[in-house]
Amino acid sequence: MKSGRSTVLAALLTIGAVMVSACSDSATQLVSAADPSAGVDCGGKGELRAGGSTAQAKAIEQFGYAYSRACPGQTVDYVADGSAGGVDDFIANELDLAGSEAALDPAKTQPERAAERCGSPAWNLPVVFSPIAVTYRIAGVNNLSLDGPTLAKIFNGSIGSWDNPVIKALNAGVALPALPIHVVYRGDRASSTASFQRYLDSASDGAWFAGGGDMFNGGIGEAATGNSGVATALQSTEGSITYSEWSFAVGKQLPIAQVVASAGSAPVAISAESVGKTIAGAKFVSDINANNDLVLDTTSLYRPVDHGAYPIVSATYQIVCSKYPDAATGTAVKAFLQAAIGPGQDGLDQYGSIPLPASFSSRVLAAANAIS
């Protein structure tokens, strides 16, 4: 790996026999007690090199444990140094697979450069899905419902008070105070910001005009660093609202708003069931020609058609070669993904991500099985 990526933000996760011995009993119970090698075609190189997205680091920890159980002696070393770094290192042939919140970008010639590195087309396989929570602090308000257009207007400053008629209309019977809204946002680069802004752009019916990316563009509010920073800022100011990873919000016991999705008028809370419905209804750009490059049509996530589906969901891709120049690497990558999509999904919600529903996992598994 490039030495420049060894920063305090990068976490080296050595997943395998060493990690297995360090796992707690509770982590061990996350993997199915059934035959761990069932459905996993073990073999190939003993150690895979992987890296990229920090958002999926905990999920990869679970996947790596499932892989090492299924294929004793085979390990994955994952460096969580960000999606951009992972993609760059994959294209430079420094990684066997990479994790990224965004698919390979044609505008940056990434698919072409990845295909040159692979000697075959590179595929984007979405395996990790994590909900983004909208959290708030309003004394005496234990239930709050918001929708895409309203969230966009809150986070771009068009709505500035909690007793605004638009918010009151979504919260009949709730005593909302005449209190200024204090927006808190991630001031550092964050995948949660990128996902949240993509949702606002897609689900707000034009109310979000600030653009996207992993830096917040709303133009208002208080910046804070990391999930911990935004939580501290939220808790210190009455009337605050922010967004964060679901697992962090739950761990900090922050009030979480329910979100009204485009599919219906009822507000939806985050749960394995509600996010599972969103994943099950996801569409692929490749549905046009039914190939195995499973780039998501993100509109299908942010504007789900199923009632009871939670709409603010972040997806992370595993970027792989469809056919590796080294057959041993291809065999090991396939086995790792089989373990990730299979036993690695058990209890994944305890790590802040949502297990793949059967209808979705079967499509992704078919693509993984085609890797050589």
Side-chain angles (χ1 to χ4, degrees), residues 19 38 43 87 97 116 129 131 177 184 189 195 217 267 280 288 307 352 356:
M19 181 184 159
V87 170
L97 70 159
E116 183 178 357
F129 289 82
V184 178
R189 295 190 179 278
S195 296
N217 297 315
I288 298 172
H307 290 270
L356 301 178

Side-chain angles (χ1 to χ4, degrees), residues 135-275:
T135 61
Y136 64 94
R137 180 184 176 186
I138 309 172
V141 176
N142 299 318
N143 294 289
L144 180 69
S145 299
L146 299 166
D147 61 11
T150 305
L151 280 166
K153 292 173 184 177
I154 288 172
F155 279 87
N156 69 20
S158 299
I159 292 178
S161 177
W162 283 111
D163 66 344
N164 184 283
V166 173
I167 302 177
K168 292 175 71 173
L170 292 168
N171 294 274
V174 178
L176 291 166
L179 180 70
I181 297 175
H182 181 73
V183 169
V184 178
Y185 63 89
R186 288 284 295 266
D188 54 332
R189 295 190 179 278
S191 60
S192 57
T193 298
S195 296
F196 186 60
Q197 292 188 134
R198 282 195 296 266
Y199 162 75
L200 294 178
D201 184 59
S202 179
S204 67
D205 298 329
W208 182 254
F209 42 78
D214 58 5
M215 294 294 291
F216 182 72
N217 297 315
I220 62 161
E222 174 186 353
T225 300
N227 284 314
S228 295
V230 295
T232 298
L234 180 86
Q235 292 170 318
S236 65
T237 304
E238 185 69 13
S240 293
I241 187 170
T242 191
Y243 55 90
S244 66
E245 297 172 11
W246 171 54
S247 59
F248 185 86
V250 171
K252 287 290 186 179
Q253 298 182 320
L254 302 175
I256 299 175
Q258 299 181 88
V259 178
V260 179
S262 58
S265 58
V268 180
I270 299 175
S271 68
E273 180 183 4
S274 65
V275 179

